Amino acid sequence: MASKVAVVTGANKGIGFAIVRGLCKRFDGVVYLTSRNIERGKNAVADLEKEGLKPNYHQLDITDKDSLEVFRDYIKNKYGGIDVLVNNAAIAFKHNATEPAAVQAKETLFVNYFSLVSTCDILFPILKNGARVINLSSSCGQLGLIPSKELKERLKDEKLTVPELSDLMQQYVDATQQGTQAAAWGNSSYVVSKVGVSALTNIQQRMLESRDIKVNSVHPGYVDTDMTSHKGPLTIDQGAEAPLYLALDAPDSVRGKFVWHTTKIVDWDSEKPL
């Protein structure tokens, strides 16, 4: 029997690192810590090895299709596929960032949404039947944070496809170039990117239902990481709790859901965000 395989993207620090730690302690199989930067990734593996854990390492840059394809081929040839995929890699500009809104929008959506789509396009074909996919969203991924009623209706449409969603995300990026995004989309590229992740999760669940693959998105909580400028009250291990619940413990009936850091299922498309 081939080993079961769990993969975490962007895992050399923060919540991704803590998810790898938790998987190494409980997952019945091999766990891959992946990162864009090889040195940082291997240092992270060494830190976990000091704790007596045994993660595997492979370089993976979700913004680089060549890197994704090399990783896919490696996993497919060695193990036959993936049992747990945690899409954690993401970026966020700081509140005091000086880059123009158009630059922030383009870069944030490229990494957090479009590169996630590429990752899934390349890795989903090697997901094993019954696999679990966890997309790291955010409290910012709630539909009620989008001002436009028309956009909200489109984003929660049960017939929405990935190309159509990607077109909407590109429309936002284009609107920021013109400075016309605020009325319909609001002023946060991070919000739009994570709403995109939450909407994408729903579409992916419909696409993969026939293979008994469970796809969920999760708000890990406000965690003490570089991304929050270390202002979050939760530890990285607390931030890993809900993703680990979805990876290891959630009943098979939990699919296509938006899960809060408490592991409670909430309505991502509520008019009143939590």
PDB file of all heavy atoms in Angstrom, residues 135-155:
ATOM      1  N   ASN A 135      -8.937  25.086   2.017  1.00  0.00           N
ATOM      2  CA  ASN A 135      -8.509  26.386   1.499  1.00  0.00           C
ATOM      3  C   ASN A 135      -8.518  27.396   2.638  1.00  0.00           C
ATOM      4  O   ASN A 135      -9.560  27.633   3.252  1.00  0.00           O
ATOM      5  CB  ASN A 135      -9.452  26.853   0.391  1.00  0.00           C
ATOM      6  CG  ASN A 135      -9.381  25.978  -0.846  1.00  0.00           C
ATOM      7  OD1 ASN A 135      -8.333  25.409  -1.154  1.00  0.00           O
ATOM      8  ND2 ASN A 135     -10.480  25.878  -1.578  1.00  0.00           N
ATOM      9  N   LEU A 136      -7.360  27.985   2.918  1.00  0.00           N
ATOM     10  CA  LEU A 136      -7.289  28.982   3.980  1.00  0.00           C
ATOM     11  C   LEU A 136      -7.915  30.277   3.486  1.00  0.00           C
ATOM     12  O   LEU A 136      -7.378  30.948   2.599  1.00  0.00           O
ATOM     13  CB  LEU A 136      -5.842  29.211   4.413  1.00  0.00           C
ATOM     14  CG  LEU A 136      -5.293  28.344   5.537  1.00  0.00           C
ATOM     15  CD1 LEU A 136      -5.848  28.766   6.885  1.00  0.00           C
ATOM     16  CD2 LEU A 136      -5.518  26.863   5.301  1.00  0.00           C
ATOM     17  N   SER A 137      -9.059  30.597   4.058  1.00  0.00           N
ATOM     18  CA  SER A 137      -9.717  31.862   3.760  1.00  0.00           C
ATOM     19  C   SER A 137      -9.448  32.809   4.932  1.00  0.00           C
ATOM     20  O   SER A 137      -8.332  32.857   5.453  1.00  0.00           O
ATOM     21  CB  SER A 137     -11.215  31.645   3.502  1.00  0.00           C
ATOM     22  OG  SER A 137     -11.843  32.846   3.107  1.00  0.00           O
ATOM     23  N   SER A 138     -10.454  33.514   5.395  1.00  0.00           N
ATOM     24  CA  SER A 138     -10.266  34.528   6.416  1.00  0.00           C
ATOM     25  C   SER A 138     -11.636  35.038   6.830  1.00  0.00           C
ATOM     26  O   SER A 138     -12.630  34.838   6.123  1.00  0.00           O
ATOM     27  CB  SER A 138      -9.430  35.679   5.835  1.00  0.00           C
ATOM     28  OG  SER A 138      -9.497  36.832   6.643  1.00  0.00           O
ATOM     29  N   SER A 139     -11.689  35.716   7.976  1.00  0.00           N
ATOM     30  CA  SER A 139     -12.934  36.428   8.304  1.00  0.00           C
ATOM     31  C   SER A 139     -13.234  37.450   7.217  1.00  0.00           C
ATOM     32  O   SER A 139     -14.390  37.839   7.019  1.00  0.00           O
ATOM     33  CB  SER A 139     -12.810  37.118   9.663  1.00  0.00           C
ATOM     34  OG  SER A 139     -11.741  38.050   9.652  1.00  0.00           O
ATOM     35  N   CYS A 140     -12.197  37.858   6.495  1.00  0.00           N
ATOM     36  CA  CYS A 140     -12.364  38.784   5.362  1.00  0.00           C
ATOM     37  C   CYS A 140     -12.986  38.095   4.146  1.00  0.00           C
ATOM     38  O   CYS A 140     -13.316  38.763   3.170  1.00  0.00           O
ATOM     39  CB  CYS A 140     -11.011  39.369   4.957  1.00  0.00           C
ATOM     40  SG  CYS A 140     -10.292  40.461   6.201  1.00  0.00           S
ATOM     41  N   GLY A 141     -13.147  36.777   4.209  1.00  0.00           N
ATOM     42  CA  GLY A 141     -13.701  36.040   3.080  1.00  0.00           C
ATOM     43  C   GLY A 141     -15.212  35.927   3.100  1.00  0.00           C
ATOM     44  O   GLY A 141     -15.783  35.099   2.385  1.00  0.00           O
ATOM     45  N   GLN A 142     -15.874  36.752   3.903  1.00  0.00           N
ATOM     46  CA  GLN A 142     -17.331  36.712   4.002  1.00  0.00           C
ATOM     47  C   GLN A 142     -17.973  37.621   2.959  1.00  0.00           C
ATOM     48  O   GLN A 142     -17.574  38.779   2.795  1.00  0.00           O
ATOM     49  CB  GLN A 142     -17.777  37.125   5.405  1.00  0.00           C
ATOM     50  CG  GLN A 142     -17.252  36.196   6.502  1.00  0.00           C
ATOM     51  CD  GLN A 142     -17.683  36.648   7.875  1.00  0.00           C
ATOM     52  OE1 GLN A 142     -18.766  36.363   8.337  1.00  0.00           O
ATOM     53  NE2 GLN A 142     -16.801  37.386   8.537  1.00  0.00           N
ATOM     54  N   LEU A 143     -18.979  37.101   2.301  1.00  0.00           N
ATOM     55  CA  LEU A 143     -19.596  37.800   1.172  1.00  0.00           C
ATOM     56  C   LEU A 143     -20.205  39.146   1.571  1.00  0.00           C
ATOM     57  O   LEU A 143     -20.229  40.082   0.770  1.00  0.00           O
ATOM     58  CB  LEU A 143     -20.671  36.909   0.547  1.00  0.00           C
ATOM     59  CG  LEU A 143     -21.246  37.352  -0.793  1.00  0.00           C
ATOM     60  CD1 LEU A 143     -20.154  37.453  -1.855  1.00  0.00           C
ATOM     61  CD2 LEU A 143     -22.335  36.392  -1.258  1.00  0.00           C
ATOM     62  N   GLY A 144     -20.672  39.247   2.797  1.00  0.00           N
ATOM     63  CA  GLY A 144     -21.300  40.488   3.247  1.00  0.00           C
ATOM     64  C   GLY A 144     -20.372  41.694   3.253  1.00  0.00           C
ATOM     65  O   GLY A 144     -20.836  42.830   3.386  1.00  0.00           O
ATOM     66  N   LEU A 145     -19.068  41.464   3.104  1.00  0.00           N
ATOM     67  CA  LEU A 145     -18.105  42.570   3.060  1.00  0.00           C
ATOM     68  C   LEU A 145     -18.023  43.210   1.672  1.00  0.00           C
ATOM     69  O   LEU A 145     -17.363  44.238   1.507  1.00  0.00           O
ATOM     70  CB  LEU A 145     -16.720  42.080   3.490  1.00  0.00           C
ATOM     71  CG  LEU A 145     -16.635  41.577   4.939  1.00  0.00           C
ATOM     72  CD1 LEU A 145     -15.287  40.916   5.203  1.00  0.00           C
ATOM     73  CD2 LEU A 145     -16.871  42.725   5.919  1.00  0.00           C
ATOM     74  N   ILE A 146     -18.683  42.600   0.680  1.00  0.00           N
ATOM     75  CA  ILE A 146     -18.733  43.175  -0.666  1.00  0.00           C
ATOM     76  C   ILE A 146     -19.959  44.095  -0.748  1.00  0.00           C
ATOM     77  O   ILE A 146     -21.080  43.656  -0.486  1.00  0.00           O
ATOM     78  CB  ILE A 146     -18.828  42.068  -1.733  1.00  0.00           C
ATOM     79  CG1 ILE A 146     -17.614  41.127  -1.652  1.00  0.00           C
ATOM     80  CG2 ILE A 146     -18.961  42.671  -3.137  1.00  0.00           C
ATOM     81  CD1 ILE A 146     -16.280  41.766  -1.970  1.00  0.00           C
ATOM     82  N   PRO A 147     -19.787  45.371  -1.108  1.00  0.00           N
ATOM     83  CA  PRO A 147     -20.914  46.313  -1.090  1.00  0.00           C
ATOM     84  C   PRO A 147     -22.006  46.034  -2.122  1.00  0.00           C
ATOM     85  O   PRO A 147     -23.199  46.207  -1.834  1.00  0.00           O
ATOM     86  CB  PRO A 147     -20.251  47.671  -1.384  1.00  0.00           C
ATOM     87  CG  PRO A 147     -18.814  47.491  -1.032  1.00  0.00           C
ATOM     88  CD  PRO A 147     -18.500  46.061  -1.328  1.00  0.00           C
ATOM     89  N   SER A 148     -21.647  45.622  -3.325  1.00  0.00           N
ATOM     90  CA  SER A 148     -22.606  45.516  -4.421  1.00  0.00           C
ATOM     91  C   SER A 148     -23.525  44.303  -4.272  1.00  0.00           C
ATOM     92  O   SER A 148     -23.063  43.161  -4.217  1.00  0.00           O
ATOM     93  CB  SER A 148     -21.866  45.421  -5.760  1.00  0.00           C
ATOM     94  OG  SER A 148     -22.730  45.010  -6.792  1.00  0.00           O
ATOM     95  N   LYS A 149     -24.840  44.560  -4.246  1.00  0.00           N
ATOM     96  CA  LYS A 149     -25.815  43.469  -4.174  1.00  0.00           C
ATOM     97  C   LYS A 149     -25.731  42.584  -5.414  1.00  0.00           C
ATOM     98  O   LYS A 149     -25.809  41.357  -5.327  1.00  0.00           O
ATOM     99  CB  LYS A 149     -27.224  44.040  -4.039  1.00  0.00           C
ATOM    100  CG  LYS A 149     -28.292  42.971  -3.891  1.00  0.00           C
ATOM    101  CD  LYS A 149     -29.668  43.586  -3.692  1.00  0.00           C
ATOM    102  CE  LYS A 149     -30.723  42.488  -3.553  1.00  0.00           C
ATOM    103  NZ  LYS A 149     -32.082  43.068  -3.340  1.00  0.00           N
ATOM    104  N   GLU A 150     -25.526  43.213  -6.563  1.00  0.00           N
ATOM    105  CA  GLU A 150     -25.430  42.453  -7.818  1.00  0.00           C
ATOM    106  C   GLU A 150     -24.225  41.513  -7.792  1.00  0.00           C
ATOM    107  O   GLU A 150     -24.331  40.338  -8.196  1.00  0.00           O
ATOM    108  CB  GLU A 150     -25.323  43.407  -9.007  1.00  0.00           C
ATOM    109  CG  GLU A 150     -25.233  42.702 -10.354  1.00  0.00           C
ATOM    110  CD  GLU A 150     -25.073  43.666 -11.521  1.00  0.00           C
ATOM    111  OE1 GLU A 150     -25.196  44.890 -11.313  1.00  0.00           O
ATOM    112  OE2 GLU A 150     -24.808  43.200 -12.633  1.00  0.00           O
ATOM    113  N   LEU A 151     -23.094  42.009  -7.324  1.00  0.00           N
ATOM    114  CA  LEU A 151     -21.900  41.165  -7.235  1.00  0.00           C
ATOM    115  C   LEU A 151     -22.111  40.019  -6.252  1.00  0.00           C
ATOM    116  O   LEU A 151     -21.710  38.880  -6.514  1.00  0.00           O
ATOM    117  CB  LEU A 151     -20.684  41.992  -6.808  1.00  0.00           C
ATOM    118  CG  LEU A 151     -19.952  42.767  -7.901  1.00  0.00           C
ATOM    119  CD1 LEU A 151     -18.893  43.660  -7.292  1.00  0.00           C
ATOM    120  CD2 LEU A 151     -19.317  41.794  -8.895  1.00  0.00           C
ATOM    121  N   LYS A 152     -22.744  40.305  -5.138  1.00  0.00           N
ATOM    122  CA  LYS A 152     -22.988  39.259  -4.146  1.00  0.00           C
ATOM    123  C   LYS A 152     -23.855  38.143  -4.729  1.00  0.00           C
ATOM    124  O   LYS A 152     -23.600  36.960  -4.478  1.00  0.00           O
ATOM    125  CB  LYS A 152     -23.622  39.862  -2.886  1.00  0.00           C
ATOM    126  CG  LYS A 152     -22.627  40.627  -2.028  1.00  0.00           C
ATOM    127  CD  LYS A 152     -23.190  41.050  -0.695  1.00  0.00           C
ATOM    128  CE  LYS A 152     -24.037  42.277  -0.794  1.00  0.00           C
ATOM    129  NZ  LYS A 152     -24.281  42.899   0.522  1.00  0.00           N
ATOM    130  N   GLU A 153     -24.852  38.534  -5.506  1.00  0.00           N
ATOM    131  CA  GLU A 153     -25.710  37.528  -6.130  1.00  0.00           C
ATOM    132  C   GLU A 153     -24.917  36.662  -7.109  1.00  0.00           C
ATOM    133  O   GLU A 153     -25.108  35.449  -7.189  1.00  0.00           O
ATOM    134  CB  GLU A 153     -26.892  38.192  -6.840  1.00  0.00           C
ATOM    135  CG  GLU A 153     -27.906  38.826  -5.913  1.00  0.00           C
ATOM    136  CD  GLU A 153     -28.548  37.812  -4.975  1.00  0.00           C
ATOM    137  OE1 GLU A 153     -28.863  36.691  -5.417  1.00  0.00           O
ATOM    138  OE2 GLU A 153     -28.707  38.142  -3.773  1.00  0.00           O
ATOM    139  N   ARG A 154     -24.019  37.292  -7.863  1.00  0.00           N
ATOM    140  CA  ARG A 154     -23.196  36.540  -8.816  1.00  0.00           C
ATOM    141  C   ARG A 154     -22.248  35.595  -8.093  1.00  0.00           C
ATOM    142  O   ARG A 154     -22.080  34.436  -8.479  1.00  0.00           O
ATOM    143  CB  ARG A 154     -22.383  37.507  -9.688  1.00  0.00           C
ATOM    144  CG  ARG A 154     -23.184  38.251 -10.710  1.00  0.00           C
ATOM    145  CD  ARG A 154     -23.604  37.374 -11.888  1.00  0.00           C
ATOM    146  NE  ARG A 154     -22.467  36.949 -12.692  1.00  0.00           N
ATOM    147  CZ  ARG A 154     -22.173  35.680 -12.974  1.00  0.00           C
ATOM    148  NH1 ARG A 154     -22.896  34.701 -12.492  1.00  0.00           N
ATOM    149  NH2 ARG A 154     -21.143  35.384 -13.745  1.00  0.00           N
ATOM    150  N   LEU A 155     -21.624  36.084  -7.023  1.00  0.00           N
ATOM    151  CA  LEU A 155     -20.600  35.304  -6.333  1.00  0.00           C
ATOM    152  C   LEU A 155     -21.173  34.086  -5.610  1.00  0.00           C
ATOM    153  O   LEU A 155     -20.473  33.086  -5.431  1.00  0.00           O
ATOM    154  CB  LEU A 155     -19.839  36.201  -5.344  1.00  0.00           C
ATOM    155  CG  LEU A 155     -18.890  37.215  -6.000  1.00  0.00           C
ATOM    156  CD1 LEU A 155     -18.521  38.305  -5.019  1.00  0.00           C
ATOM    157  CD2 LEU A 155     -17.629  36.520  -6.517  1.00  0.00           C
TER     158      LEU A 155
END
